[in-house]
Structures are given as C-alpha cells and as structure tokens.
Amino acid sequence: GIPITTYRDDYESPSLQPALTDDTVEGFLFHRFQSPSSIQASLESLKKRNPLKKFRGKDGRRGMVSSTKLNGDWVLAESKQVAVNCTVDEVLTAYMSAELQEQWNEKDVIKCTFHQIQYDEEDSSNAKDSSERRIVPRIPGVRSLHHNHNDNNDKSGGVIYRQDLVLKSQRVIRSHTGIMRYCQSVTIDKIGQDKYSVLVNLDPHQQGGTAKRPFESLSVYVGLQQAGKNVNIYAAGVMKVNRNVVPNLLIFDASGIAGSMAGKGTLW
C-alpha cells in the first residue's frame, strides 16, 4: 500500500481545531487528525458561507461544491462526494497517482509529480503544522508506515509527500500569467481501519516554484470515511489568492479561480 505519515486509533479532539472567523482567516490552518464533522463545525462561525451546490464535470465526476469569498484575497472552498463501490484505500491510491491527477485536471495542469520525503515527528514537534516541518531528502531504507501498520498511536518513521505542479498559463484581462510552478506538501494520517485525514499545504521551500502561482497561502483538509460499500469524501480549503495572477480589478474571479482549482479540484 501507499506509505502514510502516521496512524491513530481515533480522531483528535475537536477542541484542538481553531474556528475560522472573518477576523482569524490570516494564518488559519486546518489541524491533523480531525474528523470531517469537526472541520465543518470549525467553519460555522463565518458570517457568510455559501451553500454547497451540485457539480458534474465533463469527465463524469459528480458532487457538491461551494466557494465563499472571505476578507481581502482569502477564499473558502468546500466539496462533498460519495465514491461508489470502492474502499478508502482505493480512493487514496487513485488520488496519489500523478497520471490521474494530470488527466482529471487536464484543463489547468501540464505536469504533476509526487516525491516521498522522510518525516520525523521528533524533529518537527515544535512546528505549527505539517507545512512548516523540516523537509529532508528521503533516506533509502527508512521505515514507512503502511496501511497494515498496527502499532497504536505510533507517530514516528512515516513519510510526507511533495507534490510538484506545473500549471498552464491563465488568461488575465488582456495578458497571460505564463506557465506557473509551485509545490504542495501532503500529509496522510490513517484513523482506525477505514478512515483517513489528509492535509495539503503550500511547501514553504517552494523548490523550483515561480513567483506567479495561484495562491500565496493554502491549507486544504480532506477526510475519507468508509460507509458500507461506498466512501464519503469531504474537502475544505482556505487559500489566499496571489494578486500577481489575479489583479485587484477581478475580485469576482478570485473566488472563481480558487473554487475551480481547490473546490472542484478536490472532487477525487
């Protein structure tokens, strides 16, 4: 199976997930080991939160998506989906396929690659979240936590992933952004036997990234839960749009671009 970051028997207490408000969006982060219900509860303090609406992509993907403009250049995107007749492991494996990522996001993505990176909880215990933790080259032979790992609440020896994305040039008014490159870190935590809590953040090191990229800040939560023969998928993303890409004049486009790339894009 796919190496993961850590394993836990159960979700973390919802009290450890800060609430998102109109005054706290700057620096807001989703926390690890949280359930979809606790993440949704953390968003209820917002004065405005657009409802989820039905979405169907040309490639057959269906689900519910929403995009809400917050203060300044910040945007909240959410999505819900039911993956029929599959397991959480199969959904995770499909998402962590660079080839499928390129296929599903053909309109925006030129190339997607994933790199495994050693993760050491002890070396990063003082960091606020996975996006700030020490990223080092993967060491051959390091132990990874796999799907069949049975040690209770073991938090050591796993991996995180660096996702490198090359995006197509986007048209902005009468010009184009040019090809954009940026990196994301992906943390995969397994909860019990049939649930996953996944976090995606901008890689602070941005190796090979361009100044023009869609977001200046990005925190995305994805929760996978087995429900009989199906998988319930909930995703939420809080991001700050890069105004080098989206000018201040196009305020309405900020929600549109963010919703497309982080809302509908989370429909696995």
Side-chain angles (χ1 to χ4, degrees):
I2 292 177
I4 62 174
T5 309
T6 58
Y7 169 89
R8 277 199 171 188
D9 287 334
D10 205 353
Y11 289 116
E12 186 62 271
S13 169
S15 64
L16 297 180
Q17 172 59 53
L20 175 64
T21 69
D22 296 85
D23 297 325
T24 62
V25 62
E26 189 81 36
F28 175 85
L29 293 169
F30 292 114
H31 284 213
R32 294 173 62 186
F33 313 114
Q34 292 294 321
S35 69
S37 59
S38 69
I39 294 298
Q40 293 177 75
S42 74
L43 307 176
E44 293 177 353
S45 298
L46 290 169
K47 295 179 181 178
K48 178 185 177 183
R49 183 180 168 201
N50 291 334
L52 292 158
K53 296 182 179 180
K54 290 183 179 179
F55 168 81
R56 180 170 186 138
K58 294 181 179 179
D59 56 4
R61 278 180 293 171
R62 292 181 295 176
M64 306 285 288
V65 298
S66 73
S67 181
T68 302
K69 186 183 183 304
L70 306 176
N71 287 347
D73 298 331
W74 290 88
V75 176
L76 166 68
E78 295 180 85
S79 71
K80 286 185 178 181
Q81 183 183 19
V82 176
V84 180
N85 292 325
C86 62
T87 66
V88 286
D89 290 340
E90 290 172 333
V91 172
L92 184 63
T93 299
Y95 178 73
M96 297 303 291
S97 165
E99 292 78 10
L100 288 177
Q101 284 274 5
E102 292 173 7
Q103 178 182 328
W104 292 336
N105 299 285
E106 183 179 14
K107 179 180 177 182
D108 299 309
V109 176
I110 297 175
K111 187 174 181 58
C112 170
T113 55
F114 286 100
H115 303 277
Q116 288 186 28
I117 297 168
Q118 179 189 4
Y119 172 82
D120 191 330
E121 184 79 17
E122 292 182 359
D123 288 344
S124 55
S125 59
N126 294 324
K128 293 180 181 178
D129 83 300
S130 60
S131 69
E132 296 179 359
R133 291 178 170 131
R134 185 173 66 92
I135 294 179
V136 297
R138 178 156 171 76
I139 300 174
V142 69
R143 183 172 65 87
S144 300
L145 300 182
H146 293 267
H147 292 178
N148 60 359
H149 188 76
N150 294 317
D151 292 345
N152 293 340
N153 294 321
D154 190 333
K155 297 184 182 179
S156 63
V159 300
I160 61 174
Y161 294 83
R162 191 184 79 226
Q163 182 182 18
D164 296 325
L165 290 163
V166 182
L167 307 181
K168 295 179 180 179
S169 178
Q170 300 289 325
R171 181 174 178 81
V172 180
I173 309 182
R174 295 172 183 165
S175 62
H176 289 79
T177 62
I179 292 176
M180 297 177 285
R181 295 180 176 85
Y182 75 106
C183 307
Q184 299 178 154
S185 65
V186 182
T187 303
I188 303 173
D189 297 315
K190 189 168 187 179
I191 312 295
Q193 296 304 310
D194 56 3
K195 299 180 285 290
Y196 282 100
S197 173
V198 181
L199 289 186
V200 182
N201 294 281
L202 281 184
D203 183 344
H205 301 285
Q206 284 299 315
Q207 300 173 8
T210 56
K212 287 191 175 182
R213 53 181 181 265
F215 310 114
E216 293 181 356
S217 179
L218 171 70
S219 180
V220 174
Y221 165 90
V222 181
L224 306 179
Q225 295 180 319
Q226 194 73 42
K229 295 182 179 180
N230 305 327
V231 176
N232 291 332
I233 306 170
Y234 171 73
V238 176
M239 63 223 71
K240 185 177 184 181
V241 176
N242 187 340
R243 286 301 178 179
N244 288 324
V245 176
V246 185
N248 289 324
L249 178 63
L250 298 182
I251 296 177
F252 63 92
D253 263 2
S255 295
I257 291 176
S260 174
M261 302 192 73
K264 296 171 186 176
T266 55
L267 284 175
W268 294 8

